[in-house]
Amino acid sequence: MRATIIHGPGDIRVEDRDYPRVELDSDAVVRVSAACVCGSDLWPYRGVRETREPRAIGHEFIGVVESVGSGISSLAVGDFVIAPFTGNCGHCPACRDGVTVACEHLVSWGSTDEKGHFVQGAQGEAVRVPNAEATLVKVPGVKDPDDELLADLLTLSDVMGTGHHAAVSAGVGPGSTVVVVGDGAVGLCAVLAASRLGADRIIAMSRHEDRAALAREFGATDIVAERGKDGADRVRDLLGGVLAGAVLECVGTAESMDQALRCTRPGGRVGFVGVPAGGAELPIGLLFAKNITVGGGMAPVRTYLPELLDDVLAGKIHPGRVFDSVLSLEEAPRAYALMDQRQAVKVMLKP
Amino acid sequence: MRATIIHGPGDIRVEDRDYPRVELDSDAVVRVSAACVCGSDLWPYRGVRETREPRAIGHEFIGVVESVGSGISSLAVGDFVIAPFTGNCGHCPACRDGVTVACEHLVSWGSTDEKGHFVQGAQGEAVRVPNAEATLVKVPGVKDPDDELLADLLTLSDVMGTGHHAAVSAGVGPGSTVVVVGDGAVGLCAVLAASRLGADRIIAMSRHEDRAALAREFGATDIVAERGKDGADRVRDLLGGVLAGAVLECVGTAESMDQALRCTRPGGRVGFVGVPAGGAELPIGLLFAKNITVGGGMAPVRTYLPELLDDVLAGKIHPGRVFDSVLSLEEAPRAYALMDQRQAVKVMLKP
């Protein structure tokens, strides 16, 4: 089969690899209908994270179950499924707490499982999924989704669940005043999540007209282009003299966290889901003085999947609008370049 | 009147100062019945924080209203009152949010108010209280509390409200598994607060037999003497293989925060109230990877006072047991020495 392999900074190739097969009783093999490129895939692409040897890449995919192990009963060949961006066992203490990303038997796509069997990356034609019953979520009543539904479902693999985690971690609910820092796919999904949770005001910080327009479509009530102190002052003006009660940090840089903390009122909460890109730690003295709570991290998207899927299937939310480009799997190198140069918000790859 | 003045590291003197009088319509003058020495008072005492010139010290006091300004109607001469460790206005956005320590018109004891009038320190015979109606809490039906009640009431000025803030910030409730880091007065009150909020298991980290005994009296179900990784391993053993869902950090050093984070399970929460003593910032990568939420800061004790006072007056909690030493105001230098050398958990000063 064809699979996307990263060889080093800027070096993405689509190559031939062995087609996966069931290795363990709890496995399912999924034929990928759609995958995509994540902001965090750009780290090795940009050389921020080292690539020691060529490896399969990609961690977001949806597709059709093609074969299952003998221990599988809740999934069948032909089921359309969503894979979270990590696999989990479903029965360890962290899984029982719903923190599936801290699973004691965590599976990373493009890696090996606990038994030493290879697990394919998501940007390829097929993936073997260990602990398939705990990991995969079946999409009921759907066999061959149209393009719009396909896009919506694919976001549930990562970005929509991650945006939702930011909102949940910041305690967003009816009446909340929310600022979203970051206008990438996750930030835009965080706007949608805040809107879905009933927030009263949602201020999206964006300087890009197209992204700001999508943020408004997703429920943003205001757009702020200013940054730093000016940005926080603008938020304060918009909210009638106070800062926001909930701020969603969806970037992961020292600057974006600084922006988030500046926009948070005393006693407020920051939900952060941007993968920390190194640099500054959290300023504990500021958190103490302002009574700011900071929570979040790697999103347990598996836990959120059922409720978000319900809303997608009911047509209540359309997170798939974050995809502004669809390419074939063979065009993966171009997909990375588009994302890297910010010429695309989110690129879908179709094998 | 007599008042405690800090001149520099290790140099505490009780000196003569002018007796306060009403300066503003919203003032009340309170004759101090009891004050105490706080762990944070030891910072200038130890030279960790600079003392540029001699200044009045102390921020925890209770006493009797002696005179009131013309704008005061809800307080009367003779009322027994509790002062939170800062004064607040009651009507700014932060006060309306209950985050009274972020008040736009915050008053610090031993400082000056917005109009430039001196505000006495708590470790003296009397204090002028600006914004008295918003700041002071009247103790209904009490004129001359006995020693036990006096001690209980005095803790509501700071340490009991602060311990409660740690528990609230960590989301402690019925069924919670809690670790308390720090066995000073705040840590012990945090144990009591967690117990009051219905926690299922409360593990106090203590190496001092007397403090551990009081922690048990306050509701600790287990005591852990080990530190670092060993301490976290012991917590995991006690909780049947998982770490704690809520950890209360009541010290403020880099070591204590490290201990708190080590003891927190994935998806858990740290409530921190130890005044950060400099050093390490919060490790954002660890918070991200473990999905740990950190919240807390300066406790808005004014907000918590009414509910905690109800429980004190009903005899449900006796936080005053943290006082293991009572000295006269003239003995303030000795009180500081006892606290500094950890020969006392908490020293009460009676003018």
Side-chain angles (χ1 to χ4, degrees):
Chain A
M1 70 166 193
R2 302 289 283 169
T4 305
I5 309 294
I6 182 163
H7 286 253
D11 189 358
I12 297 285
R13 307 181 200 171
V14 182
E15 301 179 347
D16 288 320
R17 286 292 185 276
D18 289 341
Y19 204 90
R21 60 178 190 189
V22 167
E23 304 280 356
L24 305 169
D25 293 348
S26 63
D27 284 351
V29 170
V30 175
R31 182 166 45 77
V32 176
S33 301
C36 49
V37 180
C38 182
S40 65
D41 290 333
L42 296 179
W43 287 18
Y45 184 78
R46 289 171 177 164
V48 176
R49 192 178 278 175
E50 192 187 2
T51 301
R52 292 185 184 184
E53 52 186 21
R55 64 176 179 83
I57 192 167
H59 54 260
E60 299 154 279
F61 68 102
I62 55 179
V64 178
V65 174
E66 208 167 50
S67 56
V68 296
S70 60
I72 299 288
S73 59
S74 65
L75 293 169
V77 171
D79 283 349
F80 198 91
V81 291
I82 302 168
F85 66 78
T86 51
N88 65 290
C89 76
H91 55 71
C92 73
C95 282
R96 288 200 305 271
D97 283 347
V99 193
T100 48
V101 287
C103 171
E104 291 176 6
H105 310 281
L106 197 75
V107 170
S108 297
W109 314 116
S111 178
T112 52
D113 65 22
E114 288 182 317
K115 308 286 184 189
H117 299 294
F118 183 61
V119 179
Q120 291 69 27
Q123 294 160 9
E125 287 186 73
V127 177
R128 180 182 66 87
V129 179
N131 296 317
E133 290 193 331
T135 298
L136 298 171
V137 174
K138 178 181 169 175
V139 184
V142 170
K143 291 289 170 195
D144 185 20
D146 63 24
D147 286 350
E148 188 182 5
L149 181 56
L150 196 78
D152 287 341
L153 295 175
L154 183 54
T155 65
L156 302 185
S157 180
D158 187 341
V159 290
M160 183 60 205
T162 295
H164 179 68
H165 189 50
V168 169
S169 298
V172 173
S176 292
T177 53
V178 180
V179 166
V180 178
V181 179
D183 61 1
V186 171
L188 292 165
C189 285
V191 168
L192 182 57
S195 174
R196 178 179 172 275
L197 291 168
D200 192 39
R201 289 287 288 277
I202 303 171
I203 300 170
M205 302 196 84
S206 177
R207 287 172 163 168
H208 301 85
E209 228 169 87
D210 51 341
R211 295 172 186 227
L214 187 51
R216 284 199 186 273
E217 198 181 312
F218 278 177
T221 54
D222 307 88
I223 305 292
V224 166
E226 294 88 341
R227 289 289 178 277
K229 181 180 178 302
D230 291 347
D233 287 346
R234 185 84 187 99
V235 166
R236 194 194 302 267
D237 287 347
L238 286 169
L239 297 179
V242 295
L243 294 166
V247 179
L248 316 188
E249 196 291 297
C250 304
V251 181
T253 62
E255 292 71 26
S256 61
M257 181 55 87
D258 175 73
Q259 187 68 64
L261 294 170
R262 281 180 187 274
C263 291
T264 311
R265 74 173 65 163
R269 292 170 69 168
V270 173
F272 80 110
V273 293
V275 184
E281 301 291 17
L282 274 174
I284 192 169
L286 177 70
L287 300 190
F288 186 87
K290 285 186 73 177
N291 260 279
I292 294 175
T293 295
V294 177
M298 271 230 291
V301 298
R302 175 61 183 84
T303 301
Y304 300 137
L305 243 163
E307 62 170 308
L308 296 175
L309 176 58
D310 281 352
D311 278 15
V312 161
L313 292 178
K316 291 181 184 170
I317 55 173
H318 290 292
R321 290 182 188 163
V322 295
F323 289 104
D324 51 358
S325 188
V326 180
L327 299 178
S328 74
L329 178 60
E330 297 297 328
E331 294 174 289
R334 194 170 148 236
Y336 275 77
L338 285 174
M339 293 275 293
D340 178 45
Q341 293 153 26
R342 293 180 72 84
Q343 289 174 21
V345 175
K346 188 87 176 161
V347 183
M348 186 190 298
L349 289 174
K350 293 181 78 168
Chain B
M1 70 165 192
R2 303 287 284 169
T4 304
I5 309 294
I6 183 165
H7 286 254
D11 189 359
I12 296 286
R13 306 180 201 172
V14 182
E15 301 179 346
D16 288 322
R17 286 293 186 277
D18 289 341
Y19 204 90
R21 60 179 191 188
V22 166
E23 305 279 356
L24 306 168
D25 293 349
S26 64
D27 284 351
V29 171
V30 175
R31 181 166 46 76
V32 175
S33 300
C36 49
V37 181
C38 181
S40 65
D41 291 333
L42 296 179
W43 287 16
Y45 183 78
R46 289 172 176 162
V48 177
R49 192 177 279 174
E50 191 186 3
T51 301
R52 292 186 183 183
E53 52 185 22
R55 64 176 179 83
I57 192 167
H59 53 261
E60 297 155 280
F61 68 102
I62 54 178
V64 178
V65 174
E66 209 167 48
S67 56
V68 297
S70 60
I72 300 289
S73 59
S74 65
L75 292 169
V77 172
D79 284 348
F80 197 91
V81 292
I82 301 169
F85 66 78
T86 50
N88 64 290
C89 75
H91 54 71
C92 73
C95 281
R96 288 200 305 270
D97 283 347
V99 194
T100 49
V101 288
C103 171
E104 291 176 5
H105 310 281
L106 196 74
V107 170
S108 298
W109 313 116
S111 179
T112 51
D113 65 22
E114 288 183 318
K115 308 286 184 189
H117 298 294
F118 183 61
V119 178
Q120 291 70 26
Q123 294 160 9
E125 286 186 73
V127 177
R128 180 181 66 86
V129 178
N131 296 318
E133 290 193 331
T135 298
L136 298 172
V137 174
K138 179 181 169 175
V139 184
V142 170
K143 290 291 172 194
D144 185 20
D146 62 24
D147 286 351
E148 189 184 1
L149 181 57
L150 196 78
D152 287 342
L153 295 175
L154 184 53
T155 65
L156 302 185
S157 180
D158 187 342
V159 289
M160 183 60 206
T162 296
H164 179 68
H165 189 49
V168 169
S169 298
V172 173
S176 292
T177 52
V178 180
V179 166
V180 179
V181 180
D183 62 359
V186 170
L188 292 165
C189 286
V191 168
L192 183 57
S195 174
R196 177 179 173 277
L197 290 167
D200 192 38
R201 289 288 287 278
I202 304 172
I203 300 170
M205 302 198 83
S206 177
R207 288 171 163 169
H208 301 87
E209 229 169 86
D210 52 339
R211 294 172 187 228
L214 187 52
R216 284 201 186 272
E217 198 180 312
F218 277 176
T221 53
D222 307 88
I223 306 293
V224 167
E226 294 88 342
R227 290 288 178 277
K229 181 179 179 302
D230 291 345
D233 287 345
R234 186 84 188 98
V235 166
R236 195 194 300 268
D237 286 346
L238 286 168
L239 297 179
V242 295
L243 294 166
V247 179
L248 316 188
E249 196 291 297
C250 303
V251 182
T253 62
E255 292 73 25
S256 60
M257 182 55 87
D258 176 71
Q259 186 69 63
L261 294 170
R262 281 179 187 275
C263 291
T264 311
R265 76 173 64 162
R269 292 170 66 169
V270 173
F272 82 109
V273 293
V275 184
E281 302 291 19
L282 275 174
I284 192 167
L286 176 70
L287 300 191
F288 186 87
K290 285 187 71 177
N291 261 278
I292 293 176
T293 296
V294 177
M298 273 230 289
V301 299
R302 175 62 184 83
T303 301
Y304 300 136
L305 244 162
E307 63 169 308
L308 296 175
L309 177 57
D310 282 352
D311 277 14
V312 161
L313 293 177
K316 291 183 186 170
I317 55 172
H318 290 292
R321 290 181 189 164
V322 296
F323 288 104
D324 53 357
S325 189
V326 179
L327 298 178
S328 74
L329 177 59
E330 296 298 327
E331 294 175 288
R334 196 171 146 235
Y336 276 77
L338 285 173
M339 294 274 293
D340 178 44
Q341 294 153 26
R342 292 180 71 85
Q343 289 174 22
V345 175
K346 188 88 175 161
V347 184
M348 186 191 296
L349 289 175
K350 293 180 78 170

